[in-house]
Amino acid sequence: MNMNDIKIRRSRFFYIIEAALEYFISILVAGSYLATLTAELGISDGLTGVISSFISLGCLFQLLSVFLKRPRVKGIVIALSVLNQLLFLLLYLIPLAGGGKQVKIAVFMIAIFLAYLIYNSVHPLKINWLMSLCEDKKRGVFTSQKEIVSLLSGMIFSFATGTMIDHYKAKGEIETAFLLCGVTVFVLILLHTFTMLFSVEIPVESGESGTKKNPLREMLGTLQDKTVVKVTVLFVIWHLATSSATPFYGTYLIKELGFSLQFVSILSIVYSLVRASVSTFWGKYADKNSFASMVRLCLLIAGIGFLVNVFTVPSNGAVFYTIYYALYAVAMGGINSALTNLVFDYVAPDTRSNALALSQAVSGVVGFVTTLIVSGLVTHIQNGGNTLFGIPVYAQQVVSAIAFVFTMAAVAYVTAVIIPVKGQKK
């Protein structure tokens, strides 16, 4: 199909809007918004932490996408996306409903569990469908455009929604805020559905003369694909780096570094602006050179950022952490899109959705386990009066050093393993 066809070009535009709308919904069911909901329901901080951890583990369910795979996926992607988002909408209605506290909590847990199960099951198929509408040599710039729109519009959306919730919460009318959020999610669901309905689909050629593959054998075949394994290992190394450090920065900012919430908000805005400003540069760089070369450079910048945080302490925190966060924003402006696009660069079209699911699932589980292990080290250092082997040091300085080592390992891995794959046939 001609990629310059009016229907294809229109579909790419709708994909950019679809990504932004989906991002808006994800904002409303995570982070401080999720914490606001759980607090209203009387869910403990510990259980809220478990819910948040489950969200990060949800990528494991992407492996289920192999059972949903078919030559045309548009219909099932739309249907399951609507179902998953309606479950997210239900999260804002549960606090408004009658019934006992324990019943509400149980329904809330079931709803969020099913929502993320469905979302992750269908996500690889959706990405494979919509990304196939962009020609290979322009995927870098297109991905950057999509990210810029989501980042900037999401920043405005989050600020406006947060302000609205704070307003009603201060008036003691949190139920009104939840109702408005529910209405907002419903409108977003309608708009999001329309963007997919108006997008065309290019069916994937299976090369099997119409023979339907056994899902388990198909995933086993994906596991045996050496190229898929090589890309998956890169996902894993990067998750080892981020999962060993970034989950522990939040408390460091508020407690040890003593940042105000206002300053933290300013940092978030700076992060979004910096990341958006470099996305197009990274996209053009990747289209001209390769996503492998781009991700190596981005990983190097991220590593420098983690190294800066090794030396970040209360006396220089405002300056050093800002430098780290800006460097991390520059790096993430390319890393996320590069990892996904590496799959499109190196994996055959009929295997891409499986490869995406496998890479996300394995790296997600590894990242979760890494955080659990490193949390023990963090607790040990803090219980010891912020000392390690008798040396005065903050836990976050140590985990930053660990992240730096893993990130440099990822740079070396890309150089030695991923880049040489470029000349090989998919």
Side-chain angles (χ1 to χ4, degrees):
M1 186 177 289
N2 182 8
M3 288 296 178
N4 290 317
D5 181 87
I6 183 64
K7 292 182 179 179
I8 298 291
R9 287 191 282 116
R10 183 186 65 192
S11 297
R12 288 198 292 267
F13 169 77
F14 281 132
Y15 182 23
I16 292 174
I17 304 303
E18 180 275 336
L21 294 171
E22 184 177 73
Y23 181 49
F24 294 170
I25 295 175
S26 71
I27 288 174
L28 290 175
V29 293
S32 59
Y33 296 94
L34 175 63
T36 302
L37 282 168
T38 57
E40 182 65 19
L41 289 170
I43 296 176
S44 67
D45 290 348
L47 187 53
T48 299
V50 172
I51 295 172
S52 298
S53 297
F54 171 76
I55 292 173
S56 67
L57 263 182
C59 54
L60 182 62
F61 295 116
Q62 292 193 15
L63 292 175
L64 297 176
S65 65
V66 69
F67 295 98
L68 304 174
K69 193 175 177 184
R70 57 204 64 197
R72 291 188 177 274
V73 300
K74 179 177 176 178
I76 194 167
V77 167
I78 293 175
L80 292 181
S81 293
V82 171
L83 179 57
N84 123 254
Q85 291 168 353
L86 286 174
L87 286 168
F88 282 144
L89 169 60
L90 181 62
L91 300 181
Y92 277 97
L93 300 181
I94 292 172
L96 307 178
K101 173 183 174 181
Q102 296 305 318
V103 173
K104 288 185 178 181
I105 292 177
V107 174
F108 186 91
M109 295 288 289
I110 293 171
I112 199 167
F113 174 87
L114 291 176
Y116 277 103
L117 187 154
I118 296 169
Y119 169 81
N120 284 287
S121 297
V122 77
H123 187 67
L125 301 179
K126 189 194 75 173
I127 295 297
N128 193 40
W129 158 32
L130 295 174
M131 281 300 294
S132 68
L133 300 174
C134 182
E135 54 190 299
D136 290 345
K137 293 183 179 180
K138 295 182 179 179
R139 274 192 280 111
V141 171
F142 175 76
T143 304
S144 70
Q145 293 171 342
K146 181 165 63 71
E147 182 170 84
I148 288 171
V149 171
S150 292
L151 280 172
L152 296 183
S153 59
M155 184 174 65
I156 297 170
F157 176 82
S158 181
F159 179 80
T161 307
T163 301
M164 181 271 291
I165 293 176
D166 286 343
H167 170 74
Y168 284 106
K169 188 175 182 180
K171 293 174 62 178
E173 300 176 8
I174 191 65
E175 294 84 1
T176 302
F178 288 160
L179 181 60
L180 290 174
C181 284
V183 172
T184 300
V185 173
F186 181 73
V187 173
L188 291 173
I189 292 172
L190 291 178
L191 296 175
H192 181 262
T193 303
F194 285 135
T195 61
M196 292 192 291
L197 283 172
F198 293 134
S199 297
V200 298
E201 178 181 14
I202 303 174
V204 176
E205 297 294 336
S206 66
E208 294 288 331
S209 301
T211 303
K212 184 175 178 60
K213 298 180 181 179
N214 180 288
L216 294 178
R217 288 183 179 178
E218 189 176 344
M219 185 55 75
L220 182 61
T222 303
L223 284 167
Q224 295 173 337
D225 188 319
K226 293 182 179 179
T227 302
V228 173
V229 172
K230 289 177 181 179
V231 174
T232 299
V233 170
L234 177 58
F235 274 73
V236 168
I237 299 174
W238 174 236
H239 275 70
L240 283 170
T242 56
S243 299
S244 62
T246 56
F248 307 100
Y249 286 161
T251 56
Y252 193 49
L253 303 185
I254 303 301
K255 295 181 179 179
E256 287 86 352
L257 298 184
F259 292 173
S260 67
L261 290 177
Q262 184 181 46
F263 186 67
V264 172
S265 298
I266 292 173
L267 283 175
S268 297
I269 293 173
V270 170
Y271 175 89
S272 295
L273 291 175
V274 171
R275 183 167 168 176
S277 68
V278 300
S279 289
T280 298
F281 167 78
W282 285 131
K284 291 180 178 180
Y285 182 91
D287 287 339
K288 182 179 179 180
N289 298 281
S290 71
F291 281 100
S293 297
M294 187 256 273
V295 77
R296 178 174 61 178
L297 184 54
C298 288
L299 286 168
L300 181 60
I301 294 172
I304 295 172
F306 286 127
L307 184 60
V308 169
N309 258 0
V310 173
F311 303 98
T312 300
V313 293
S315 61
N316 62 29
V319 175
F320 274 40
Y321 191 84
T322 300
I323 293 173
Y324 150 74
Y325 213 36
L327 289 170
Y328 193 67
V330 171
M332 291 306 294
I335 289 176
N336 276 0
S337 66
L339 290 176
T340 299
N341 278 293
L342 280 176
V343 175
F344 281 79
D345 271 355
Y346 296 139
V347 179
D350 62 342
T351 311
R352 286 171 180 169
S353 62
N354 290 350
L356 283 170
L358 180 66
S359 298
Q360 295 283 3
V362 173
S363 59
V365 172
V366 170
F368 177 73
V369 173
T370 300
T371 300
L372 291 180
I373 294 173
V374 175
S375 66
L377 175 62
V378 170
T379 301
H380 173 74
I381 294 173
Q382 292 177 338
N383 288 343
N386 291 320
T387 59
L388 182 64
F389 306 123
I391 303 173
V393 65
Y394 289 104
Q396 284 78 0
Q397 291 179 272
V398 177
V399 299
S400 295
I402 296 173
F404 169 75
V405 172
F406 279 128
T407 306
M408 291 302 99
V411 172
Y413 182 80
V414 173
T415 302
V417 179
I418 298 297
I419 289 180
V421 176
K422 184 174 177 58
Q424 301 176 12
K425 185 177 180 180
K426 294 179 182 179

